[in-house]
Structure formats: C-alpha cells, structure tokens
C-alpha cells in the first residue's frame, strides 16, 4: 500500500513541476501606453513598455502575453513629430512586427474594467495589420474624438493572413465601428519597384467569441493565385451589429469565403459582398438571429461577377428577408433549409432551393503554427498557416530587450511541488520505519 501511495504522490509532484515548467515558458510583458507616454520602458510591470510594437518585438520569437496596465493609444506607435499628426485626411496604417507564434493581448487582472486600445483620434482612417497569430481578450477597441471634437468612424483590422481571435471579454466601444478584413493588406504588398516577393497567403481565419463588432468584409488583396480560402466564425456571445459582407472584392480571385454563425446573439445583416471580385461565398447559420440577407453586393457595387452565394440554415432564425436575386453579382444563388426547419422571415429570388445537410466546423487551433521557411520575402509568416504541430519553443528562453517573465504563479506552483515532494518523502520514510 505504501508503494502505491508513494507512487501517487510522486506523480502529483512531477505533474506540478511540469505545470511550473510550462508556465515558466510563457513570456509576459507589460504595456502602459496612455497618450503622451514618452518612456519606452523595459516591459516589466514596474517599467512597462509605452508601445505595443515594443512588446510584440520582445516576445516575437516565443509568443506569450502582452498585459495592458491601462489604456493604450496607437498614436504612440509613431514618432511624436510625424508630419500631419493632426491632419484628419491622413491615413494611419500600423503594421505589427512579425511573429510566428500566438500573442495574446489582454487587460491586467487588477483593472476594474477593460483597458482600452484607442485607434488614433488624429486620423480619419486608421488601419492595423497583424504581424502574426493574435488573440485579443478582455480589452475594448476604442475611438475618441480628435482635436476638432469629431470622432471618426474607421477602425480597420487586417488579419494579414494570420489567425485573429476576438476572445472572451473583447469588444468595441460605441464610438465609430470596427472593420475586419482577411487575406493580406494592400499596404503589406511589395511596391512596384520592390524586389521583395509577396508573402503567399492561402488561408485565413477570423474568430469572434464575444462582444459587439461592426463590419466583416472580404479579402482586398490576394497573393494566392485564386486559392485563398478564408473563414469568419461568429460564435459564443458575439454580435455583429453592422453587417457582414464576406465576398472577396477589388478583383481578388479568392476561391472561397465561409461565414459561420453559431452564436447566442447574431448578425444584423448579411450581404454577399461589398464589391464582389469573384469566388464562392457560403453562409452557415447554426444558431443566433440574422436580420436580412441580401445576395447582392452592397449598393450594387461589383468589379466582376462572383461564382455562387449559398445560404445553409440548420438552426437559429432569419427574422427578415433573404433575397437571392443577384444576377449581376453572382452567377448562382441557393437557399437551403434543414429538413423540418422553418424561419420567421421569408426567402425568395434564389436560383436554387435545397435541403441543408448537417453542418459541422472546427475553430482554428490556438496552438502555435508549424514553422515553415518556404515563404519568401522579408515579411515571411514563418509558417504555412496550418495550425497544430509541435509547440516547442526552440532556442534559448532568454527574454532580451528588457522584457519580463511572469513570476507570481510560477513561485506558487513551485512551492506546492516542493511541499508535495517533502510530504511524499516523509510519508514513505515514516512507513518504512514502522
């Protein structure tokens, strides 16, 4: 019996030590980027970075967490004396430093409410391109009035070919609206005179698990020769209060755009696209309420016809009108209800009607992507955008750049492991003496 107990306690000790090791590998840096911050910081909690870009660079090799100690203004990412700082006609485009492993941006647990990430109030258009797989958690994407007292409405996120997850507690504020784009950002394509090769992006996932968001758009730039497949997932408690228009646009020859609606809330309106550029668009409704669905591109704008627009309904409801009359936008439209399923709204104008099969999907993995150096150019993704694979960090685990490693939880875990080890040893010795 004493052997069994000793083995059990030893297993507990080893498990605790493994937990300690795994936690210790998670790099955590801190940011306090309130407007006017000039100190760049070192990333510790007592001396936080003033810029998100500095924090991303500090943990880019190994991934980890960026903890916001307070609000962050993206204007801090630029030099204080940049030309046109208060010129509202100036477009503000921020590109995150490259990182191949997941980085989570979240509020510090000690805050009574979400830290806010302010898009520049000094610019009419503010765009933010991801530099790698990114998760936002317990943060508010915010916009405040500029020097002229006007709150401009554009807060653009470009997933840039990387997995982008708006996780639990993430949301936007009431001012302005957020716009999301898969694929690659036009600003991240090599210039005409550049010898750099475009980074090939063949898949892209954007996930909303919580919060209220503005608009979902299609890819605006494509480097995949028509092989780009991208997925929007509106799940959990997420709500799209504007509209979703997922079809590829601007002559992007993307292959497929998929929109999965499986939420306790829903989407106000779904359009086939904003400016359709081709490809197939599939809408899968499993739960939640969708208002109206219109297969036509928004305001009848299109560059060329898309191939098909297809709606599949197995759960939830369409409370308004589903209109498939979009001959000038898509060559074919279809509306498919699961057997026995009804909607409280109506559907008409589709070129085909059918029975929706059972719908299943898998959210993108939050494990670090597999490294792959086959992508060309300086802006290489460091992965083939497939998820999974081994999650080994590789290289030394030093922080560099003055960044910090989370220590509180690890100390507790180490102490528990030490106590378990001592108890196990004492128990076995005591039993042996008996």
């Amino acid at each position: 019996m004493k052997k069994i107990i000793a083995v059990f306690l030893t297993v507990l000790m080893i498990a605790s030590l493994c937990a300690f090791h795994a936690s210790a590998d998670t790099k955590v840096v801190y940011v306090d980027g309130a407007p006017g911050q000039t100190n760049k910081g070192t990333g510790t909690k007592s001396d936080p970075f003033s810029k998100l870009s500095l924090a991303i660079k500090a943990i880019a090799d190994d991934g980890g967490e960026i903890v916001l100690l307070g609000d962050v203004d993206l204007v801090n990412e630029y030099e204080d004396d940049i030309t046109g700082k208060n010129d509202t006609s100036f477009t503000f485009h921020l590109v995150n430093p490259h990182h191949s492993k997941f980085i989570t941006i979240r509020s510090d647990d000690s805050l009574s409410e979400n830290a806010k990430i302010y898009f520049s109030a000094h610019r009419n258009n503010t765009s933010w391109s991801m530099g790698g797989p990114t998760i936002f958690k317990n943060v508010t994407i915010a916009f405040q009035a500029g020097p002229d007292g006007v709150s401009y409405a554009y807060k653009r996120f470009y997933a840039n070919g990387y997995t982008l997850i708006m996780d639990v507690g993430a949301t936007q504020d009431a001012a302005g609206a957020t716009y999301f784009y898969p694929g690659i950002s036009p600003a991240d394509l090599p210039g005409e005179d550049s010898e750099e090769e475009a980074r090939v992006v063949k898949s892209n996932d954007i996930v909303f698990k919580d919060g209220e968001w503005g608009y979902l758009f299609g890819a605006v730039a494509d480097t995949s020769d028509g092989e780009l497949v991208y997925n929007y997932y509106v799940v959990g408690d997420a709500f799209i209060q504007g509209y979703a228009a997922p079809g590829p646009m601007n002559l992007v020859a993307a292959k497929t755009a998929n929109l999965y609606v499986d939420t306790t809330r829903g989407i106000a309106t779904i359009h086939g696209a904003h400016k359709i550029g081709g490809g197939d668009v599939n809408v899968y409704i499993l739960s939640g309420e969708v208002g109206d669905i219109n297969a036509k591109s928004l305001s009848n704008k299109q560059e060329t016809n898309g191939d098909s627009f297809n709606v599949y309904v197995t759960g939830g409801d369409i409370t308004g009108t589903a209109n498939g009359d979009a001959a000038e936008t898509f060559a074919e439209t279809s509306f498919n209800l699961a057997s026995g399923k009804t909607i409280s709204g109506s559907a008409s104008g589709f070129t085909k009607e059918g029975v929706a099969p059972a719908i299943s999907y898998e959210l993108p993995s939050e494990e670090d992507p597999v490294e792959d150096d086959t992508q060309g150019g300086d802006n290489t993704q460091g992965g083939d955008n497939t998820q999974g694979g081994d999650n080994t960090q590789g290289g030394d685990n030093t922080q560099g750049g003055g960044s910090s490693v989370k220590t509180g939880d690890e100390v507790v875990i180490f102490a528990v492991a030490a106590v378990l080890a001592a108890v196990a040893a004492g128990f076995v010795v005591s039993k042996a003496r008996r």
Side-chain angles (χ1 to χ4, degrees):
M1 181 66 181
K2 67 182 181 182
K3 290 183 178 180
I4 295 175
I5 296 174
V7 169
F8 176 71
L9 291 174
T10 302
V11 169
L12 283 178
M13 176 187 70
I14 294 172
S16 299
L17 288 173
C18 289
F20 165 74
H21 176 72
S23 183
D25 278 347
T26 301
K27 292 187 176 180
V28 178
V29 291
Y30 295 86
V31 173
D32 185 358
Q37 285 276 16
T38 57
N39 175 36
K40 291 185 177 181
T42 60
T44 63
K45 194 165 187 176
S46 59
D47 186 26
F49 290 126
S50 62
K51 298 181 180 183
L52 278 171
S53 57
L54 294 174
I56 293 171
K57 286 179 181 178
I59 61 175
D61 290 342
D62 297 301
E65 291 188 345
I66 297 174
V67 179
L68 307 183
L69 298 176
D71 297 343
V72 173
D73 194 333
L74 294 185
V75 75
N76 288 353
E77 301 297 326
Y78 292 80
E79 297 300 327
D80 292 338
D81 59 350
I82 59 173
T83 304
K85 182 173 181 179
N86 295 317
D87 179 3
T88 54
S89 66
F90 187 81
T91 297
F92 210 7
H93 190 90
L94 172 64
V95 181
N96 279 353
H98 168 68
H99 54 98
S100 61
K101 299 182 183 298
F102 267 98
I103 287 179
T104 297
I105 300 174
R106 66 173 179 86
S107 298
D108 187 64
D109 293 337
S110 65
L111 298 180
S112 60
E113 60 182 26
N114 281 1
K116 293 181 174 65
I117 299 177
Y118 283 102
F119 276 59
S120 173
H122 307 289
R123 302 289 188 281
N124 189 2
N125 297 320
T126 305
S127 299
W128 192 7
S129 286
M130 301 298 103
T134 307
I135 299 172
F136 290 86
K137 189 173 184 178
N138 294 325
V139 294
T140 298
I141 307 302
F143 212 99
Q144 58 186 353
D148 55 3
V150 177
S151 181
Y152 295 94
Y154 300 104
K155 295 177 278 194
R156 291 190 172 105
F157 281 86
Y158 288 96
N160 216 16
Y162 303 108
T163 299
L164 173 60
I165 300 175
M166 312 310 285
D167 210 335
V168 175
T171 190
Q172 68 172 34
D173 67 351
T178 45
Y179 296 73
F180 292 85
Y181 301 83
I184 197 166
S185 163
D188 298 297
L189 293 173
E192 293 181 3
D193 299 328
S194 174
E195 295 182 359
E196 177 187 345
E197 293 182 21
R199 180 169 57 85
V200 177
V201 174
K202 292 189 177 182
S203 64
N204 205 174
D205 296 308
I206 302 179
V207 183
F208 302 88
K209 294 184 178 181
D210 200 3
E212 297 188 359
W213 306 99
Y215 303 90
L216 316 184
F217 285 102
V220 293
D222 183 9
T223 58
S224 70
D225 294 328
E227 297 180 7
L228 174 64
V229 177
Y230 55 89
N231 305 294
Y232 276 112
Y233 301 91
V234 182
V235 299
D237 295 324
F239 178 62
I240 307 303
Q241 59 183 241
Y243 57 77
M249 56 182 176
N250 295 354
L251 292 178
V252 174
K255 183 178 180 181
T256 307
N258 297 313
L259 170 61
Y260 294 91
V261 184
D262 191 9
T263 170
T264 60
R265 303 181 70 184
I267 297 180
T269 305
I270 296 175
H271 294 274
H274 180 61
K275 297 180 181 179
I276 188 65
D280 299 299
V281 178
N282 301 310
V283 177
Y284 302 98
I285 302 173
L286 294 86
S287 67
E289 287 190 359
V290 174
D292 295 321
I293 296 178
N294 195 334
K296 288 183 178 180
S297 59
L298 187 65
S299 302
N300 295 323
K301 297 176 181 178
Q302 64 273 335
E303 302 289 348
T304 185
N305 276 10
D307 297 320
S308 69
F309 178 81
N310 310 291
V311 179
Y312 301 89
V313 185
T314 61
D317 194 13
I318 299 173
T319 59
T321 300
N323 182 9
D325 183 8
E328 74 279 18
T329 305
F330 292 97
E332 179 180 287
T333 61
S334 73
F335 187 81
N336 308 274
L337 279 177
S339 179
K341 172 65 181 171
T342 61
I343 59 173
S344 58
S346 61
S348 62
F350 291 87
T351 59
K352 289 183 178 181
E353 292 186 2
V355 177
I359 299 169
S360 63
Y361 65 90
E362 185 175 345
L363 291 178
S365 171
E366 295 181 23
E367 296 295 319
D368 289 322
V370 178
E371 290 289 340
D372 182 356
D373 295 329
T374 59
Q375 312 255 10
D378 293 335
N379 194 25
T380 54
Q381 182 174 345
D384 60 2
N385 209 33
T386 58
Q387 302 293 334
D390 68 13
N391 197 23
T392 55
Q393 299 288 339
D396 65 19
N397 199 30
T398 56
Q399 294 276 342
S403 54
S404 65
V405 179
K406 188 176 181 182
T407 58
D409 293 342
E410 290 81 358
V411 170
V412 172
I413 293 172
F414 182 79
V416 170
V419 169
L420 284 172
V423 169
F427 185 87
V428 173
V429 170
S430 175
K431 280 288 186 179
R433 287 177 176 174
R434 293 180 188 178

